[in-house]
Amino acid sequence: MIETLALAGKALEGSGVRIGLESLNTLVDQLGYFLSSTRETLQVVKMTGRPEIGVVYDIYHSAVMGEDTEAVIAGDVDRVFDLHVADHPGGHEPGSGHIDLRDRLGWLTARGYGGSLGLEYRPTASTTASTAQRRRVLL
């Protein structure tokens, strides 16, 4: 996997295209998935030696696995290419569970994260109502 990702990164050199590798939880949603640890995912990314290869950091999956953002991302915010957000339990709207998403997002932003944020949750209300409420919770 590392060799293949390194070759892919080399092929992308100078194109502006990047590949993000994502850890998923193996306790609730993705039983048997290969990468369930953000630290391990970061290790794989670093072993490629390619700046085109990074992490899609899914706060929900990380929280389900009992990870603390500050501990697992530490000095590697520059390797995070994209963020995914849902609350735990249930993978529902931010603010519906017990993850302090504002705190985690604030920590990442304060350390230089300026990339995209994907709202990757299962809404319990209409998309329009859910999105409006999420903006109030996250901003």
Side-chain angles (χ1 to χ4, degrees):
M1 176 176 68
I2 294 166
E3 182 180 328
T4 300
L5 286 168
L7 289 170
K10 177 110 177 99
L12 294 171
E13 187 172 15
S15 71
V17 176
R18 303 181 304 173
I19 295 173
L21 191 60
E22 182 177 6
S23 305
L24 302 177
N25 81 77
T26 55
L27 300 177
V28 177
D29 302 296
Q30 305 295 326
L31 304 177
Y33 186 71
F34 180 67
L35 286 173
S36 60
S37 160
T38 301
R39 282 193 177 136
E40 184 178 22
T41 301
L42 277 163
Q43 184 179 25
V44 168
V45 163
K46 289 177 188 179
M47 290 174 72
T48 69
R50 301 299 314 180
E52 301 86 1
I53 310 299
V55 172
V56 174
Y57 180 56
D58 191 306
I59 295 173
Y60 163 76
H61 287 294
S62 181
V64 170
M65 295 305 292
E67 297 177 341
D68 174 68
T69 298
E70 295 178 32
V72 297
I73 299 297
D76 294 313
V77 172
D78 62 321
R79 298 311 300 248
V80 177
F81 290 174
D82 187 37
L83 294 175
H84 289 177
V85 174
D87 215 330
H88 178 55
H92 297 297
E93 293 96 343
S96 66
H98 62 74
I99 302 173
D100 188 342
L101 292 165
R102 186 178 287 182
D103 181 61
R104 289 184 189 222
L105 292 172
W107 185 89
L108 288 159
T109 301
R111 280 147 189 83
Y113 182 77
S116 59
L117 171 72
L119 298 175
E120 192 180 65
Y121 62 85
R122 291 183 283 282
T124 57
S126 74
T127 301
T128 303
S130 177
T131 303
Q133 177 62 22
R134 291 330 106 201
R135 290 178 56 82
R136 287 190 289 277
V137 169
L138 294 173
L139 300 179

